[in-house]
Amino acid sequence: MREYAALGHMEPVQAPYSHDGCYYIPHPAVVGKFRVVFNASAQTSTGVSLNDIQLVGPTIQDSLVNILLRFRRYRVAITADIEKMFGQVLVTSEHQDLQRIIWRESPADNIGVYRLKTVTYGMASSPYNAVRALQQCAVDNCSVSRDEDQAALARDAILTSFYVDDFLTSCANASEGIELARSVDAILSAGKFRLSKWNSNDNQVTMCLSSNASISSYTFNSGETSVLGLKWDSVTDELFYRVEIEPTIDVPTKRSVLREVTRLFDPTGLLSPVVITGKVFIQKMWSVGLSWDTPLPDDLREEWLRYRSKLKALNQVRIERWLGMVRHGRTTLHGFCDASSYAYAAMIYIRTIDDSHAKQLSLLTARRKVAPFKGSTIP
């Protein structure tokens, strides 16, 4: 809370307090990864919360899958994120009193009233407002780059390669990556969006950027890092997974099985055979009419425990990030689909041939679904 005040993200409201047109946001502390969480879904005495009366706004950023696929396109990968993105966007002064909070450092202090001045986590409209401000920044400030072509590339990268505050992109070579990173940084710095936690699989990119004193903040994360729910090792340039399997203590139920299967986050479908097996098992539980907290029958319990025990093998899966695409090479897409009485799926492979005629074949993406209970024929 001291940081909020020091950074100008909140300011005290001077007494006497008028409460007309105001909303007070509860803010519990989360102590796992310590942070403040603002709960604008808390209802007032009218039975309505601030989130209930807000427009959420449309989705204006590119899809997570598209960003990940673009990240895998070329040899040189670059990632970064925006520090305190929401806090860099001011809320108009006439609406700041809808973001009031109460706070005191200790029980001995008087309770103080504050208003939050910036876009706040926990508000229904906040993701849209922050992303919309970022995109407007890209349009308004792209002229800071003297080269028109480079300015256009950087603007398009900001518009298409950000997922909220996470930036992922790939370039054909190191020099292109360095120029793009510098231009994106300059454009966003003009709007007070500060990029940090840069990472790249190319040593030339990291060395060149980190030695440039004019850059706003090239702090680098080397080695393993998270990229939109996946893990990326920038040293080996591989994508991988981290599956945490807790020791089995309780008897498995439909609720606990569903919770564990939904933890298998797989946006591009690379784990489809594993995920669909878990979803087929969930369908079996529904078919026998189990309630949420009833222990599984012996046959289902044994089947589930066998499946669960094998999930740790996902930690051994390593996937090359780079799909082998080059600027003037040849790329073809190959689609397949299949169906059974349990599930059906479609997948796309990508085959690339570079200038030296070297070939590479990779699974690009896949989609799968459990077959419906009352289906027609398998075709």
Side-chain angles (χ1 to χ4, degrees):
M1 298 302 286
R2 291 194 201 111
E3 185 181 41
Y4 266 74
L7 294 174
H9 295 176
M10 72 179 190
E11 66 181 9
V13 178
Q14 302 301 322
Y17 308 124
S18 170
H19 304 295
D20 294 336
C22 299
Y23 178 81
Y24 287 81
I25 308 176
H27 50 95
V30 175
V31 295
K33 179 182 177 183
F34 194 80
R35 63 196 186 280
V36 181
V37 175
F38 297 99
N39 180 19
S41 294
Q43 295 180 349
T44 67
S45 57
T46 64
V48 177
S49 71
L50 180 58
N51 280 346
D52 289 336
I53 61 171
Q54 284 190 359
L55 294 176
V56 176
T59 299
I60 56 174
Q61 62 191 5
D62 210 345
S63 71
L64 184 147
V65 173
N66 284 352
I67 294 172
L68 284 172
L69 293 180
R70 221 175 275 122
F71 175 62
R72 298 185 66 194
R73 181 191 292 177
Y74 293 128
R75 185 187 66 81
V76 177
I78 299 174
T79 66
D81 66 37
I82 300 174
E83 286 188 2
K84 300 178 177 62
M85 177 182 179
F86 284 23
Q88 306 311 315
V89 183
L90 279 172
V91 171
T92 183
S93 58
E94 63 190 279
H95 293 157
Q96 289 176 9
D97 280 320
L98 292 170
Q99 299 187 151
R100 282 192 184 183
I101 62 171
I102 58 174
W103 168 249
R104 61 182 176 184
E105 287 251 353
S106 76
D109 297 335
N110 293 326
I111 291 177
V113 177
Y114 297 83
R115 62 171 68 91
L116 301 172
K117 300 171 63 180
T118 60
V119 169
T120 301
Y121 282 105
M123 306 270 277
S125 63
S126 290
Y128 171 83
N129 286 333
V131 172
R132 182 66 182 84
L134 178 74
Q135 294 189 354
Q136 191 63 44
C137 176
V139 174
D140 291 346
N141 299 315
C142 65
S143 60
V144 301
S145 179
R146 297 176 182 177
D147 187 305
E148 291 186 5
D149 293 336
Q150 189 60 43
L153 287 173
R155 180 198 62 215
D156 292 345
I158 296 171
L159 294 177
T160 62
S161 297
F162 267 96
Y163 195 78
V164 190
D165 58 348
D166 290 316
F167 178 58
L168 284 78
T169 193
S170 62
C171 300
N173 53 58
S175 60
E176 288 185 13
I178 292 167
E179 287 302 314
L180 180 64
R182 287 173 172 168
S183 298
V184 168
D185 182 84
I187 290 172
L188 294 185
S189 293
K192 307 304 179 184
F193 288 115
R194 186 169 178 262
L195 287 165
S196 67
K197 298 180 182 177
W198 289 84
N199 201 355
S200 177
N201 63 320
D202 189 286
N203 289 333
Q204 185 180 346
V205 173
T206 56
M207 290 176 62
C208 185
L209 295 181
S210 60
S211 64
N212 192 331
S214 66
I215 300 300
S216 65
S217 172
Y218 277 104
T219 55
F220 278 86
N221 282 352
S222 59
E224 298 180 359
T225 187
S226 294
V227 287
L228 302 185
L230 300 179
K231 298 291 184 181
W232 175 48
D233 187 335
S234 61
V235 176
T236 62
D237 199 19
E238 293 173 321
L239 299 172
F240 63 98
Y241 297 87
R242 278 282 177 264
V243 179
E244 301 292 338
I245 305 298
E246 299 176 359
T248 304
I249 299 175
D250 300 326
V251 177
T253 62
K254 185 167 75 171
R255 188 186 304 276
S256 65
V257 168
L258 186 63
R259 182 173 60 248
E260 295 204 48
V261 171
T262 54
R263 285 179 184 169
L264 297 174
F265 183 67
D266 182 33
T268 57
L270 300 179
L271 299 182
S272 286
V274 178
V275 174
I276 196 61
T277 303
K279 292 189 173 182
V280 168
F281 184 81
I282 290 174
Q283 189 183 57
K284 287 183 181 179
M285 292 192 301
W286 282 101
S287 67
V288 298
L290 292 175
S291 61
W292 283 108
D293 298 308
T294 300
L296 299 185
D298 290 344
D299 57 337
L300 289 181
R301 180 174 61 83
E302 291 178 8
E303 182 181 349
W304 166 249
L305 293 178
R306 281 197 305 271
Y307 170 80
R308 188 179 187 271
S309 67
K310 297 176 182 178
L311 291 178
K312 59 185 178 182
L314 292 177
N315 293 329
Q316 308 301 317
V317 174
R318 291 263 171 169
I319 300 161
E320 290 185 41
R321 178 206 56 85
W322 183 32
L323 296 170
M325 294 179 67
V326 292
R327 189 62 50 77
H328 302 293
R330 184 184 178 197
T331 299
T332 54
L333 300 176
H334 304 265
F336 301 88
C337 61
D338 199 4
S340 74
S341 58
Y342 293 106
Y344 53 101
M347 61 232 60
I348 297 176
Y349 287 85
I350 182 170
R351 183 174 185 264
T352 59
I353 305 175
D354 64 18
D355 298 335
S356 63
H357 303 291
K359 302 178 181 67
Q360 180 173 327
L361 185 67
S362 307
L363 174 62
L364 184 65
T365 188
R367 288 291 178 271
R368 70 273 159 171
K369 274 194 173 184
V370 177
F373 279 130
K374 296 180 179 179
S376 53
T377 63
I378 289 177

